[in-house]
Amino acid sequence: MLDFDGLTKHLKDSHGLNVDKNQETDLRNIGYYHGYKGYRFIRKSSNRIAFTSFSQVVTLNRFDMRLKTIIYPRLMFLENALKSRVIEVVLSDSGTENLSEIYKKSLTYYQEFKTKNPNQTQNDRSRYRQEFKKKKDLEMKISSALIRDYMQGRDIENHYFDNDRDVPLWAAFESLTLGEFGIFFSCTNMAIKKTVSEQLGLRKSLNADGGLLTDIIFCLKNLRNAIAHNGVIFDTRFATQKVEPRVKKLLETEMEIENIDFSFIVSYVALIVYLLKALKETKDCVSFINEYEKTIEMLSANFPQEVYFKIVGTQEKSVLEKMRAFVKRTS
């Protein structure tokens, strides 16, 4: 196991990166294993970045941290805003805030695949079972989350459980992760999906089954989790599943972006801008775009063009222009 001096020698001898005395604090702060080993490649460990100086390592780390700083508050806002809208529509649809009643009245998407038709296809029967199981699994997850928070002494759960009262929907949502919220919305009936989608102005041609918002939520879920756990995000390595084609089509259509590529973080920025605009947060759209543009200037000043484009993509300037035009056009 190498001590600090051994690590600096290893960086110099094995990677050609000399750590000056005035850079030792940077190395200690970002760490060799998180700061260097975590940032020395793009998406795959085999796709190494040809660093020519340790200052480039520091710059890339600061670039990634700055991305997290500007993205995370927007994701928190979007999560809260979407949950609030869904709560409002679900309460209206069910006429109650009681979870067990909501499960019966509003989380009924599985019934879309149930029919008395004797010619029902095997696919429909299979989909019915899958959707029914997903709903039941969700109910158990919500129950487990509420009990977990209660045992940890969380005030909301304490208030209801200690008084032998059912936890209302809004309180349950406080315990749901973004992914669990996405599953909840996917289980809601078509009327709820349609109402929420119309409030957000989602394109109907891409949303026949009401699942577009679910796809968007799952697209952003891993980004949100990576930031929350201080994972690397600049190269979108957090994406564990492919972005649904209709999410791409949505941005290509609404923002007039050609062949949007979610291998690059700018595409996630575009999706966040789209949602902020759907929620009528026009001023923050402009601020967010400007903050992102200023952030990527950190890279352009410190990396050769070839490496810069590998990190941000060749679409970056075009997507920025399209985002600004979209915000202006829809204001």
Side-chain angles (χ1 to χ4, degrees):
M1 183 174 179
L2 298 175
D3 60 13
F4 183 78
D5 290 338
L7 289 174
T8 57
K9 186 176 186 300
H10 175 70
L11 281 171
K12 181 178 180 179
D13 295 344
S14 300
H15 303 290
L17 299 177
N18 187 47
V19 181
D20 298 332
K21 284 292 183 182
N22 61 355
Q23 294 176 322
E24 289 181 356
T25 298
D26 289 326
L27 178 57
R28 282 194 164 98
N29 287 342
I30 67 175
Y32 171 78
Y33 296 99
H34 176 79
Y36 172 68
K37 296 193 77 171
Y39 288 88
R40 63 179 175 172
F41 61 89
I42 299 173
R43 284 181 287 280
K44 297 180 179 179
S45 58
S46 58
N47 191 16
R48 296 290 184 89
I49 299 173
F51 291 120
T52 58
S53 67
F54 182 71
S55 63
Q56 288 182 334
V57 179
V58 176
T59 295
L60 188 56
N61 177 270
R62 289 176 178 169
F63 169 68
D64 194 64
M65 294 300 292
R66 179 59 185 162
L67 283 176
K68 295 171 192 174
T69 299
I70 65 174
I71 291 174
Y72 196 60
R74 272 83 186 196
L75 289 178
M76 292 297 95
F77 169 81
L78 292 176
E79 181 175 350
N80 183 71
L82 292 175
K83 283 182 176 179
S84 295
R85 286 173 180 258
V86 171
I87 288 171
E88 179 184 350
V89 177
V90 169
L91 293 179
S92 176
D93 178 82
S94 65
T96 179
E97 61 178 16
N98 181 280
L99 278 176
S100 59
E101 290 300 310
I102 288 171
Y103 294 153
K104 293 176 184 177
K105 296 179 179 179
S106 298
L107 267 63
T108 57
Y109 182 64
Y110 67 95
Q111 293 180 2
E112 294 289 323
F113 305 95
K114 185 177 182 179
T115 176
K116 295 179 180 179
N117 185 346
N119 297 319
Q120 182 185 32
T121 67
Q122 181 63 35
N123 284 342
D124 281 341
R125 287 193 292 270
S126 176
R127 183 68 184 276
Y128 175 88
R129 293 189 184 101
Q130 290 172 6
E131 294 295 333
F132 182 79
K133 181 180 183 299
K134 180 167 66 173
K135 173 193 172 180
K136 289 301 181 181
D137 287 344
L138 174 67
E139 291 177 16
M140 288 189 288
K141 284 183 179 179
I142 292 175
S143 179
S144 296
L146 292 173
I147 293 171
R148 176 201 65 211
D149 289 347
Y150 174 66
M151 295 305 294
Q152 292 175 353
R154 196 160 176 264
D155 289 341
I156 295 176
E157 284 73 17
N158 286 355
H159 172 73
Y160 287 98
F161 287 151
D162 286 348
N163 290 285
D164 200 23
R165 294 171 58 191
D166 291 326
V167 176
L169 178 65
W170 68 265
F173 264 40
E174 294 293 315
S175 294
L176 294 189
T177 65
L178 183 59
E180 289 166 345
F181 167 62
I183 295 172
F184 182 96
F185 185 72
S186 74
C187 291
T188 59
N189 61 43
M190 285 298 294
I192 292 172
K193 288 183 170 72
K194 180 180 178 181
T195 300
V196 175
S197 297
E198 286 177 349
Q199 287 183 3
L200 296 174
L202 297 182
R203 186 170 284 262
K204 292 181 180 179
S205 61
L206 298 173
N207 197 34
D209 64 348
L212 179 56
L213 181 58
T214 299
D215 292 340
I216 291 173
I217 291 170
F218 279 107
C219 179
L220 295 176
K221 178 196 69 170
N222 289 332
L223 171 58
R224 183 248 190 242
N225 291 343
I227 298 175
H229 294 93
N230 197 29
V232 178
I233 69 165
F234 78 90
D235 59 354
T236 71
R237 68 183 68 173
F238 54 81
T240 58
Q241 59 193 43
K242 291 184 178 180
V243 176
E244 289 295 327
R246 62 178 166 184
V247 176
K248 296 180 181 180
K249 187 66 175 178
L250 176 71
L251 297 183
E252 290 172 348
T253 303
E254 298 289 357
M255 291 189 170
E256 301 178 354
I257 299 171
E258 295 183 6
N259 301 314
I260 193 163
D261 187 353
F262 275 86
S263 297
F264 300 100
I265 197 68
V266 69
S267 298
Y268 289 87
V269 172
L271 182 57
I272 293 169
V273 167
Y274 174 82
L275 287 176
L276 288 172
K277 190 65 184 67
L279 294 165
K280 305 187 186 308
E281 293 291 325
T282 303
K283 288 185 178 179
D284 196 42
C285 288
V286 175
S287 297
F288 186 36
I289 294 169
N290 290 340
E291 289 169 20
Y292 175 75
E293 184 173 39
K294 187 175 181 180
T295 299
I296 59 176
E297 289 174 359
M298 297 170 60
L299 291 182
S300 60
N302 289 277
F303 284 90
Q305 191 175 70
E306 179 183 359
V307 177
Y308 173 80
F309 284 139
K310 284 183 178 180
I311 294 172
V312 303
T314 56
Q315 277 189 318
E316 169 258 324
K317 286 187 177 179
S318 172
V319 174
L320 279 170
E321 291 173 359
K322 296 293 186 180
M323 282 192 284
R324 285 198 170 96
F326 165 76
V327 172
K328 185 177 180 179
R329 183 174 65 251
T330 56
S331 296

